[in-house]
Amino acid sequence: MKTNYKFHKEDKITALTGAGISAESGIKTFRDRDGLWENHRIEEVASPVAFSKNPEMVWEFYKQRYLQLAKVSPNSAHFALKKMEDFCSSNFNLITQNVDGLHQIAGNINVLEMHGSLRQCFCSKCLHSFEMKEIDFEQKIPKCDHCSGNLRPNIVWFGEMPYEMEKIDKILENTKYFIVIGTSGIVYPAARFLSIAKYFGAKAIEINLEYPINSVVLDEFHLGKAGILLPELIEKWIT
Ligand code: OAD
């Protein structure tokens, strides 16, 4: 596999990951051929309106997603990104749209979870946050210990503002390399990050199983599985 780049420790490097990086760990991506996410239309389970209409069904859905996490582990692509952070420490930023926490389990520290985390929830009334492992799933709609409000998963749903946006804006302005891994690039604002980083002068690299919709702005594209390509590429970039 050919790449034109060599990274240095002082280079600012950013990776943006999507569901594709966790596919080889056994977690289903969002936009498979049937257009359904674990048998649900995304908007049925991932919006504040869906939660207010049917909190029980939304909780059951995220409970299943959370319980699935106990059975999965990081794959070689996650570990390759840990190697990247070891190489350039705080010059490496990892922005993820994933909510599975596998980057942190692989050892990455500098992770921005812009869509939240399946491993946490918070009270929709008083905003107190809880670890999912503390939750008693016997309750169909878990309640807050402090105010008895309905808890909700700490997931950024459609129509809500993603986390860490101020930090992300600064990172995009200053990064020298922007590496996009396993995302379909159709959910905003993450879909815009590549063009912003390019606008500020970054080299753009993408790894995906399919040809991307935004290929015109890419400096390098690698077609294939992240778990195979990323370890090889990172080895070439940092040695
Ligand atoms: P998608 O399901 O939209 O896209 C997954 C991408 O990963 C596709 O482009 C696949 O071609 C690619 N892919 C699959 N397996 C791969 C592999 N082994 N190696 C490399 N690439 C692979 O997932 P996202 O783009 O992450 O938001 O979706 C973005 C957001 O949409 C999600 O964060 C989620 C959803 O609504 C929330 O739930 C808040």
Side-chain angles (χ1 to χ4, degrees), residues 17-25 27-32 37 42 46 62 75 77 96-99 114-116 155-158 160 180-188 190 206-212 222-229:
T17 61
I21 198 166
S22 295
E24 289 159 75
S25 292
I27 301 179
K28 254 186 114 181
T29 59
F30 296 91
R31 290 170 185 81
D32 285 342
W37 179 25
I42 290 183
Y62 283 100
N75 63 59
T96 188
Q97 298 167 89
N98 298 345
V99 295
M114 64 177 290
H115 287 169
I155 302 292
V156 175
W157 284 327
F158 283 97
E160 297 181 321
V180 184
I181 306 148
T183 173
S184 54
I186 55 177
V187 174
Y188 284 83
E206 178 157 346
I207 296 152
N208 201 305
L209 264 186
E210 305 166 341
Y211 281 98
H222 299 278
L223 180 71
K225 290 189 171 179
I228 295 170
L229 298 183

Side-chain angles (χ1 to χ4, degrees), residues 6-111:
K6 279 280 172 212
F7 298 168
H8 303 101
K9 286 184 193 306
E10 58 280 8
D11 290 336
K12 298 230 180 282
I13 297 165
T14 306
L16 169 69
T17 61
I21 198 166
S22 295
E24 289 159 75
S25 292
I27 301 179
K28 254 186 114 181
T29 59
F30 296 91
R31 290 170 185 81
D32 285 342
R33 239 168 247 127
D34 59 7
L36 297 178
W37 179 25
E38 302 281 2
N39 299 322
H40 291 266
R41 288 186 12 251
I42 290 183
E43 57 277 24
E44 248 174 42
V45 286
S47 77
V49 174
F51 186 64
S52 61
K53 272 194 191 150
N54 196 345
E56 227 177 279
M57 189 267 279
V58 172
W59 257 112
E60 178 57 28
F61 177 79
Y62 283 100
K63 178 181 106 181
Q64 295 307 332
R65 306 282 73 70
Y66 169 70
L67 295 176
Q68 184 190 29
L69 294 184
K71 301 181 200 132
V72 299
S73 2
N75 63 59
S76 48
H78 295 101
F79 288 115
L81 291 177
K82 152 77 171 134
K83 204 165 174 184
M84 191 78 230
E85 185 168 326
D86 289 344
F87 176 71
C88 52
S89 55
S90 60
N91 282 330
F92 178 62
N93 284 290
L94 176 48
I95 304 169
T96 188
Q97 298 167 89
N98 298 345
V99 295
D100 54 36
L102 291 183
H103 287 305
Q104 290 90 330
I105 295 176
N108 280 97
I109 295 163
N110 204 4
V111 185

